[in-house]
Amino acid sequence: MQSLAPSSSRRPILKSLRRPSPTDRVTPSRLVVQCGHRFDSSRADWQSACAILASKVVAQQQDTEKSGDAGNNNIAALNGHRTLDLVPIENLPKPLTIADLSPAPMHGSTLRVAYQGVPGAYSEAAAGKAYPNCEAIPCDQFEVAFQAVELWIADRAVLPVENSLGGSIHRNYDLLLRHRLHIVGEVQLPVHHCLLALPGVRKEYLTRVISHPQALAQCELTLTKLGLNVAREAVDDTAGAAEFVAANNLRDTGAIASARAADLYGLQILADGIQDDSSNVTRFVMLAREPIIPRTDRPFKTSIVFAHDTGTSVLFKVLSAFAFRNISLTKIESRPHRNRPIRLVDDANVGTAKHFEYMFYVDFEASMAEARAQNALAEVQEFTSFLRVLGSYPMDMTPWCPSRED
């Protein structure tokens, strides 16, 4: 406090209050003032000084009340000075919640999903089934789709890994090992092939048919039954074949693609449902930069890849780790070990033997949140030189109807 100067020549001295400690409590309705006075001053001077001090305290309280009323108009006063307008509390940004940080939204309304091919491809349909209302981003190659997610151009990638008739798509298995993306889901899409051509073209006029290699293989018998003596030529994808026929006005060339591709590129359907087997389903996996949290309230599937140094004899021990815990395997796939494709074994009696080295991809029906899956992988790790979990994700349990396009 500042010392006050009354009209008397004998000035009282008000001692400064000590600095309050954190344990002190001060309420605005009660203020305790301590003041000192010289012993030679009169009582009247002391009372005058206290009165002046009390009047200043009352004035300060009134200023505080006025500033509180002014706060309703977003204006505050501090020590008699006007301050800037305050932001209303209801307009302040809300803190993030765990839902804002979820790596896998339930719906794909805001997701950008990369797929291989052009609009009208089956991969585009799979992306739409996995993430409804998503923004589909076409990529010309599988690896470009991986890179699109890694470079934050896309949020997810939906890529095929196996077909019920054509088998595994080895390229994507190799890319799963090369890149550090995580499998966060799967979707199974029935494949419904159509024979497409330019409007007005009859199938008897065709001299060649182009499509993806697997699509050509899946329709081989049906093309023969249709009596078509045509050359088969492979291209990158089914919808790309339809686009190529339309863009180049090829009246002697047909394409095997989906009915959606016919609508997009203005082609007519010469034959519908030409796949040799109605049970033609392609399995796609959804990839993301971060894994999802495994759960136990619904069926989950886990994908792993491993390698070992002592040959394929260890494979039995690895598989027994799952069989012992009643864990069903849905797929096992072997791929060459690119870093060490051949293992040499020297034997003094028979000479040097060469063995091919493999990486093994395994899918099993269990969640990594289950103790039996964790214990199985702990045992598998004892027999392998390399083990990586590609993802633990919900299984696609949607009903499937053959021979119908999704």
Side-chain angles (χ1 to χ4, degrees), residues 18 26 35 39 48 67-68 71 74 83 111 116 193 209 259 266 269 279 292 313 326 352 383 396 398:
R18 63 181 178 85
V26 179
C35 58
F39 293 104
S48 176
S67 64
N74 299 332
T83 62
L111 290 182
Q116 188 275 330
H193 290 310
V209 173
I269 299 177
S279 302
I292 62 173
S313 60
N326 197 26
T352 302
F383 305 115
D396 184 6
T398 56

Side-chain angles (χ1 to χ4, degrees), residues 89-101:
I89 295 179
E90 59 271 12
N91 294 336
L92 291 176
K94 296 181 180 180
L96 292 176
T97 64
I98 190 64
D100 300 321
L101 305 177

Side-chain angles (χ1 to χ4, degrees), residues 162-167 214 217-219 275-281:
E162 61 178 326
N163 178 266
S164 58
L165 300 180
Q214 285 208 6
Q218 295 166 8
C219 302
Q275 61 273 3
D276 297 337
D277 194 327
S278 59
S279 302
N280 188 0
V281 181

Side-chain angles (χ1 to χ4, degrees), residues 111-124:
L111 290 182
R112 297 164 298 175
V113 181
Y115 68 93
Q116 188 275 330
V118 298
Y122 293 106
S123 294
E124 183 193 35

Side-chain angles (χ1 to χ4, degrees), residues 292 294-295 298-302 364-367 392-395:
I292 62 173
R295 296 158 53 181
R298 59 173 297 181
F300 258 64
K301 182 183 292 185
T302 301
F364 59 88
E365 294 181 351
S367 170
S392 187
Y393 48 91
M395 296 176 58

Side-chain angles (χ1 to χ4, degrees), residues 195-198 201-203 206 254 268-272:
L195 179 61
L196 312 180
L198 290 173
V201 174
R202 300 174 59 179
K203 60 183 179 181
L206 299 179
Q268 66 171 338
I269 299 177
L270 298 180
D272 191 8

Side-chain angles (χ1 to χ4, degrees), residues 125-203:
K129 181 179 180 180
Y131 300 104
N133 302 321
C134 68
E135 179 187 352
I137 302 176
C139 304
D140 61 348
Q141 299 178 25
F142 289 128
E143 188 161 10
V144 174
F146 277 85
Q147 295 175 351
V149 178
E150 291 177 332
L151 299 177
W152 295 77
I153 299 174
D155 303 302
R156 301 285 191 274
V158 175
L159 298 173
V161 290
E162 61 178 326
N163 178 266
S164 58
L165 300 180
S168 300
I169 301 176
H170 298 142
R171 175 61 175 166
N172 283 336
Y173 275 99
D174 295 338
L175 292 175
L176 282 173
L177 186 62
R178 180 182 305 175
H179 296 268
R180 301 299 299 181
L181 298 182
H182 303 268
I183 302 178
V184 297
E186 68 171 2
V187 60
Q188 297 181 3
L189 185 75
V191 177
H192 190 86
H193 290 310
C194 301
L195 179 61
L196 312 180
L198 290 173
V201 174
R202 300 174 59 179
K203 60 183 179 181

